[in-house]
Amino acid sequence: MGEGAGFQLGTVGALSLSVVSSVSIVICNKALMSSLGFIFATTLTSWHLLVTFCSLHVALLMKLFEHKPFDRKAVLGFGVLNGISIGLLNLSLGFNSVGFYQMTKLAIIPCTVFLETVFLAKKFSRSIQFSLSILLLGVGIATVTDLQLNLLGSVLSLLAIVTTCVAQIMTNTIQKKFKVSSTQLLYQSAPYQALTLFVSGPFLDGLLTNQNVFAFNYTPQVLIFIVLSCLISVSVNFSTFLVIGKTSPVTYQVLGHLKTCLVLTFGYVLLHDPFSWRNIFGISVAIVGMVLYSYICTIEGQQKAREASSQMLQVKDNDSDPLMRAESGAGIDADGATPTATVWSSNKDLRA
């Protein structure tokens, strides 16, 4: 009971941290890019990851977490793939209309569901699929405006969708396979992500903006917002790995659409961005989908917990009465030896 309650509390904390930090960094970056003219998104992301790594290294020196090295090839591939996915998302935004870019982000959820179903044999109930459909419909109504298509932009969007889905699935599977925490995985992969974007960032930003990031006029105000953005990014990157590790890539994407709705709302309230009844209706539908998804996940989680508990009680009952098991002939192999029962851990898939 205590461990399950602790897991739920940790999950709620991770979700809350992800929402607050992501909305904060969007507002900060919007001021940095729209008001101050610093539009070099990929290079800025590489600085985010570099600051994140440095912050985690300081935390490691202070013994706030334990360094746990594991398969270097897996870390390298994961880090580079994450960096590539970020770059492709930025290119997709640069070569497509805003509406088509929003469609790209919406496509990540069904793509993730498809990949996990086909390659990881994960099952999604009809109720989960229905709630996700409502969510995607609402976000689509609220955010998708124009859908201007072009070949290069479509190819970039497709690559961005696939690499993002695979990277987020790997975030979850690596933590469970190698039994590492979100902090340990982020600490080891951040340098590779940062290096990938640090090398490609100036080129990609130059391609998208026709400006040189190194020739930009870095006023004190710009530097303050860059530092603030980098500091907030530490929480963003940490909470991303934490949420995916504790829940699933699909839940993280659902949370991402909640952030989109919140950003639209805060933009209207704080920055007086244009807002229409279509936005309000779309956000309302999306919230219904999110609430329904959360409710169904909770119900299905409780059902699985009850099934796991009954299985454990059944195993204990069988172990406590070997005579009955012997009389029924269960557990006796060809040599007359009774094999040891396999102990099932109900929380093995819940630990990051």
Side-chain angles (χ1 to χ4, degrees), residues 78 81-82 85 89 104-116 120 157-173 244 249-250 253:
F78 171 71
L81 181 63
N82 259 294
S85 69
L89 282 171
T104 298
K105 293 176 66 178
L106 290 176
I108 292 176
I109 284 184
C111 182
T112 302
V113 170
F114 173 78
L115 292 177
E116 288 195 310
L120 299 180
S157 292
L158 178 62
L159 293 174
I161 291 169
V162 174
T163 54
T164 300
C165 292
V166 173
Q168 291 181 357
I169 292 173
M170 286 180 66
T171 303
N172 183 272
T173 55
I244 296 177
V250 173
Q253 284 299 323

Side-chain angles (χ1 to χ4, degrees), residues 182-212:
S182 54
T183 309
Q184 292 167 333
L185 178 58
L186 179 58
Y187 175 72
Q188 295 187 65
S189 63
Y192 299 110
Q193 296 182 60
L195 182 61
T196 301
L197 294 176
F198 191 78
V199 172
S200 61
F203 170 75
L204 293 179
D205 287 333
L207 183 66
L208 295 173
T209 65
N210 293 322
Q211 297 183 39
N212 187 347

Side-chain angles (χ1 to χ4, degrees), residues 10 16 56 82 101 109 112 129 155 242 275 327 345:
S16 301
L56 290 177
N82 259 294
Y101 175 72
I109 284 184
T112 302
Q129 295 176 25
V155 172
L242 193 60
F275 214 64
E327 288 175 1
S345 174

Side-chain angles (χ1 to χ4, degrees), residues 19 93 103 108 128 203 216 218 224 239 299 316 330:
V19 170
L93 178 59
M103 286 296 297
I108 292 176
I128 290 290
F203 170 75
F216 187 78
Y218 291 90
I224 289 174
S239 62
I299 296 299
K316 289 180 180 179

Side-chain angles (χ1 to χ4, degrees), residues 54-189:
C54 292
S55 301
L56 290 177
H57 189 66
V58 172
L60 179 64
L61 295 177
M62 297 173 63
K63 298 183 179 180
L64 297 179
F65 72 95
E66 180 183 355
H67 180 44
K68 185 179 180 181
F70 59 98
D71 192 341
R72 184 175 293 273
K73 289 183 179 179
V75 176
L76 175 61
F78 171 71
V80 172
L81 181 63
N82 259 294
I84 291 174
S85 69
I86 294 172
L88 286 171
L89 282 171
N90 287 336
L91 284 173
S92 175
L93 178 59
F95 284 94
N96 289 303
S97 64
V98 175
F100 192 81
Y101 175 72
Q102 291 296 337
M103 286 296 297
T104 298
K105 293 176 66 178
L106 290 176
I108 292 176
I109 284 184
C111 182
T112 302
V113 170
F114 173 78
L115 292 177
E116 288 195 310
T117 302
V118 173
F119 295 101
L120 299 180
K122 186 172 181 179
K123 296 181 180 180
F124 295 87
S125 66
R126 292 185 180 274
S127 299
I128 290 290
Q129 295 176 25
F130 177 69
S131 64
L132 290 175
S133 300
I134 295 177
L135 165 67
L136 295 177
L137 175 64
V139 175
I141 293 173
T143 61
V144 177
T145 52
D146 56 327
L147 287 176
Q148 300 175 10
L149 302 179
N150 65 83
L151 180 60
L152 178 59
S154 300
V155 172
L156 290 172
S157 292
L158 178 62
L159 293 174
I161 291 169
V162 174
T163 54
T164 300
C165 292
V166 173
Q168 291 181 357
I169 292 173
M170 286 180 66
T171 303
N172 183 272
T173 55
I174 285 178
Q175 290 186 51
K176 292 177 179 175
K177 179 180 179 180
F178 296 102
K179 292 181 170 51
V180 293
S181 68
S182 54
T183 309
Q184 292 167 333
L185 178 58
L186 179 58
Y187 175 72
Q188 295 187 65
S189 63

Side-chain angles (χ1 to χ4, degrees), residues 314-330:
Q314 185 176 2
V315 170
K316 289 180 180 179
D317 289 341
N318 290 337
D319 287 343
S320 63
D321 199 347
L323 291 178
M324 291 181 62
R325 189 171 68 245
E327 288 175 1
S328 63

